[in-house]
Amino acid sequence: MIALVTGDTGFIGSNMRKFLEEKNVEVIGYSRRRGFDIFDKKQLRREVKKCDIVYHFAAEAKPGESVLNPVHTIEINLKGSLNVLEACRELGVPLIYPSSCEIYGDSKIPIKEDFPINPPNPYAASKAAIDRLCYTYYKCYGLDVKILRLFNPYGPNQQLNKIMPTFYFQAIRNKPLTVYGDGSDTRDYVYVEDIVKGLWLAKKLPAGEVINLATGRATTNLEVAHLIKKIVDSRSEIAFVKYPKAFGGIRHQVGSYEKAERLIGWKPQTSLEEGVKKTIEWLSQIDQERAEI
C-alpha cells in the first residue's frame, strides 16, 4: 500500500506519517518543506497517481489568525483542497479528509454528525466548505471520500502556541498561567495517537460517510491549567485575561463518538492525564533543545 500524506510535516500529518510507516505503508510526504506544493496541479497529479490512498492535512490551521486575515486562510485552504479533490477524482484514488469540530461552532452537547454547521471564524468556515465539497464530490462524481471531524487534537508536534504548550512553558517557569475569561470554556481533547488510529480505521467507512472523533468528555480550560500545574509541580498562579477583541472562537464543545464506534469500532483509548503527560514529555525535550542552542 502507498499513501500520499499532504501536510506531513505538520502536527497531525507528521503523526499520521509515523503511524503509517509503523504499519509498513509506503508514505509519500507532500508538503512545502519537502519541495511539494498542492498548488502545482501537475506535480500533485503525478504523486497522487502513484498512490492507493490520500490523506489530506495541508491547511492554514490558525483560527485566531484567520480572524485577522480571512481572505488568505480561505483562499489557501479552499484552492489547495480543490486541487487535491480534482486529482483524486480524475485518478480514482480514495481520499481521507480530516475535517474539524470547529465547523459546528457553539452547539448543544454532545454534538452529533447531523447537527447544524455554524462556523464562527474564517478558518472554521473554510473547513466547513471543504467538508461539504468532499461530500459533493462523492455525490456528483462517486469519489470514495471519507470525512472525519476531529475534536481538539493535542499531543507531540502540535503548534507551540496552543493551550497545552502555552500553559506548560508558563508553568515550568512559575509564571502565571493565562486563562481566557473565567476558565469555564470547555473542549473535547483527543490525544493525537487516538486520532491517527481513527483516520487509519476510516478506510472501512462507506464512501461519503461522516464521523466524529471525540471523547464525549468536556474539559474546562481551568482544569487543563490545574492539571499541567500538578504534573510539573509548578508554583504558578492562574491569571484570568480578556478574550482578544477579534475572538471568533467557541465557548463550549463536546462531541459524540457513538457513530465512529458503531461503524469502524473506534473509541478513544487515552485518558486526558495520560495524554497530557505524554505531551509534556515531548515539550520538555523541546525546552531542553532550546536551552542547548
Side-chain angles (χ1 to χ4, degrees):
M1 180 178 176
I2 303 175
L4 178 70
V5 179
T6 75
D8 76 307
T9 56
F11 170 34
I12 304 177
S14 63
N15 281 279
M16 190 77 224
R17 180 190 179 103
K18 178 184 176 183
F19 179 89
L20 291 170
E21 289 173 342
E22 289 172 351
K23 292 284 186 182
N24 294 318
V25 174
E26 182 180 342
V27 178
I28 298 176
Y30 202 98
S31 66
R32 286 185 177 180
R33 291 187 198 175
R34 299 187 185 280
F36 293 108
D37 191 335
I38 58 174
F39 296 98
D40 185 332
K41 295 180 182 179
K42 290 183 179 179
Q43 182 188 60
L44 179 62
R45 195 179 187 281
R46 283 197 302 269
E47 299 305 318
V48 170
K49 191 174 184 179
K50 302 173 185 176
C51 298
D52 301 299
I53 194 167
V54 173
Y55 291 88
H56 176 42
F57 298 99
E60 283 287 324
K62 301 172 183 176
E65 291 184 21
S66 78
V67 176
L68 304 174
N69 198 350
V71 174
H72 173 75
T73 298
I74 292 169
E75 283 187 342
I76 292 290
N77 289 351
L78 263 66
K79 287 181 179 179
S81 296
L82 274 171
N83 288 345
V84 173
L85 280 164
E86 276 292 280
C88 290
R89 177 181 73 85
E90 291 171 7
L91 297 165
V93 177
L95 172 65
I96 305 288
Y97 179 65
S99 185
S100 170
C101 62
E102 289 264 337
I103 72 175
Y104 294 114
D106 280 302
S107 177
K108 66 178 183 178
I109 57 175
I111 298 169
K112 297 184 179 181
E113 291 82 357
D114 59 355
F115 278 25
I117 292 174
N118 293 302
N121 57 62
Y123 164 73
S126 72
K127 295 294 286 187
I130 300 161
D131 182 302
R132 294 298 79 200
L133 277 170
C134 287
Y135 182 76
T136 297
Y137 268 65
Y138 156 68
K139 289 295 286 186
C140 284
Y141 310 114
L143 178 63
D144 184 1
V145 56
K146 298 87 157 64
I147 304 158
L148 289 83
R149 295 174 181 164
L150 314 183
F151 277 71
N152 307 115
Y154 72 99
N157 296 350
Q158 72 179 130
Q159 301 92 326
L160 296 182
N161 64 345
K162 296 297 186 182
I163 185 172
M164 291 185 189
T166 298
F167 285 169
Y168 168 78
F169 287 117
Q170 290 170 338
I172 61 170
R173 290 164 176 78
N174 292 308
K175 294 182 176 181
L177 274 61
T178 50
V179 176
Y180 286 124
D182 62 3
S184 64
D185 291 4
T186 58
R187 293 292 183 270
D188 187 336
Y189 291 104
V190 190
Y191 190 59
V192 70
E193 286 183 6
D194 290 334
I195 291 284
V196 297
K197 287 176 185 175
L199 289 161
W200 170 254
L201 292 172
K203 302 189 306 303
K204 302 177 183 178
L205 286 172
E209 193 59 85
V210 179
I211 58 171
N212 292 333
L213 296 185
T215 69
R217 174 186 172 183
T219 303
T220 68
N221 293 347
L222 192 56
E223 286 175 318
V224 174
H226 283 302
L227 177 58
I228 290 175
K229 274 187 61 178
K230 183 185 79 170
I231 292 171
V232 304
D233 193 24
S234 171
R235 299 189 306 275
S236 294
E237 296 180 352
I238 303 294
F240 297 101
V241 298
K242 294 181 179 179
Y243 294 97
K245 288 184 179 180
F247 177 51
I250 295 168
R251 297 292 171 84
H252 300 289
Q253 201 165 61
V254 60
S256 166
Y257 64 87
E258 180 276 329
K259 189 176 179 183
E261 185 173 22
R262 174 164 47 85
L263 293 184
I264 61 173
W266 180 91
K267 60 181 179 180
Q269 301 291 327
T270 310
S271 71
L272 181 66
E273 184 163 356
E274 179 187 357
V276 171
K277 285 179 178 177
K278 289 181 179 180
T279 304
I280 285 174
E281 288 176 8
W282 169 72
L283 287 167
S284 66
Q285 293 174 2
I286 297 294
D287 196 46
Q288 185 176 350
E289 290 169 3
R290 285 177 168 181
E292 292 172 353
I293 294 176

